[in-house]
Amino acid sequence: MQLLTASPISDECRRYWALGGIRAALDALVQDSRAGRISTEDADALSLNFPLLALEDSARRTAFSRLQDATQDDRFMDAVLHVTRGDLGLVPLLQRRAAQYWMRLVYDATGQTSHTVAPALADSLRGTELHGYTCDDVRLPVRALHLVVPPDAGLELPDNDRVRWTATDLLIVEESEPRIWRLCLEAPTGEGRSAHVVTMALPRRMALDAAMAQHAEKAARGADWRPLWTWALGAVLSLTPPASQA
C-alpha cells in the first residue's frame, strides 16, 4: 500500500522544518526561492507538506487517539494557516492529506499489522449478512489493520472522472469515545495510485445494518460506500468473530 510505504515528506522538506517549525521553514523557503536556489513551484510543493510534519508532532502529543484531536492541535492549525495564506481552496486538500497521513502514523505506532485476504474468502465477503450483529460484535484485532485486497473482493475506487479502479489495499483505523472506523481504500489508477478515506460511526449496541443505513443516509450524493463497508465488516468478523459465534 503506497500510503504505508512511500512517505509524502522528503528529506529536503524535513531539513527546512528542522530549522524551527513553520515560520522558520517558510522564511528559509522564501529566501532560497528569491535567491534562485529552488523554484517557486518546488517551494510551494514543499510547503504543502509542512502541515504533515506538524501533524506528526500533534499526533504524538495526543497519543494517536483521535484524528480530530491531532488536527485541532495549535501547532497543526498554525501550520495550515501559514501555508494556505488565506487560500481557502487549499484547506480541503490539506484535510484529506492529513486524514490519510494520520492513519499511517497510527499504523506505524501500533505495530504495522497486515493481513492478506484469500481470494475465495474475499469473494464470499461481498455477500456478508450483517443482520443479527451489533456494533459491539465487530472488533479490530489491533487499532490499525492493513488488509491486502484481492480483485475477487470487487472493491472499486472512482476517480474525479468517474472511472472506477480496482482496489488493492484497505487500511482500517479505529477511534473510541465515540467509536468510529476510518477506512482508507487505495487503488492503482492510470496516473499512479489514488486513496480515499471514509468514516463510519459504530455506536454501542446499535445493530450493524442500522449503522450501515445511518452511514448511507449521510453519504455525499452519488457516493455509495455500502459495498466497501459490507466487505470490511465481513473481513473483520472473519478475523475476530464474536465470542458467541467463534
Side-chain angles (χ1 to χ4, degrees), residues 10-44:
S10 66
D11 291 341
E12 184 179 19
C13 187
R14 290 187 182 278
R15 285 196 293 271
Y16 279 106
W17 187 257
L19 296 174
I22 186 63
R23 294 172 180 81
L26 287 176
D27 286 345
L29 264 182
V30 170
Q31 292 177 13
D32 286 349
S33 179
R34 289 174 176 172
R37 291 186 288 269
I38 185 172
S39 69
T40 300
E41 292 77 11
D42 288 344
D44 289 342

Side-chain angles (χ1 to χ4, degrees), residues 125-131 133-135 181 183 198-203 206-219 223-234 237:
L125 293 175
R126 300 168 67 177
T128 298
E129 176 57 65
L130 300 179
H131 183 71
Y133 290 104
T134 71
C135 294
W181 277 9
L183 273 67
V198 293
T199 304
M200 181 178 180
L202 295 168
M206 178 179 282
L208 265 185
D209 48 4
M212 174 83 75
Q214 187 180 80
H215 172 74
E217 289 177 0
K218 297 179 180 179
D224 184 3
W225 296 106
R226 285 173 296 182
L228 169 60
W229 283 113
T230 298
W231 192 90
L233 290 165
L237 285 167

Side-chain angles (χ1 to χ4, degrees), residues 51-132:
L52 298 184
L53 287 164
L55 186 70
E56 290 182 354
D57 296 336
S58 62
R60 283 191 291 267
R61 284 197 299 276
T62 56
F64 305 96
S65 57
R66 297 181 61 79
L67 172 62
Q68 183 173 329
D69 293 342
T71 55
Q72 289 185 348
D73 181 88
D74 289 344
R75 195 169 301 183
F76 175 78
M77 294 180 69
D78 189 47
V80 171
L81 179 65
H82 279 78
V83 167
T84 57
R85 298 189 294 274
D87 184 355
L88 297 181
L90 287 174
V91 174
L93 168 65
L94 295 177
Q95 289 175 333
R96 289 194 299 270
R97 297 181 70 189
Q100 294 178 16
Y101 194 57
W102 180 84
M103 292 179 69
R104 172 183 175 145
L105 294 174
V106 178
Y107 177 79
D108 289 341
T110 56
Q112 298 182 332
T113 301
S114 182
H115 176 74
T116 299
V117 179
L121 177 59
D123 179 63
S124 67
L125 293 175
R126 300 168 67 177
T128 298
E129 176 57 65
L130 300 179
H131 183 71

Side-chain angles (χ1 to χ4, degrees), residues 1-8 100-101 103-104 171 184 186 195:
M1 187 173 194
Q2 184 172 330
L3 174 69
L4 303 179
T5 58
S7 175
Q100 294 178 16
Y101 194 57
M103 292 179 69
R104 172 183 175 145
L171 177 63
C184 183
E186 187 178 282

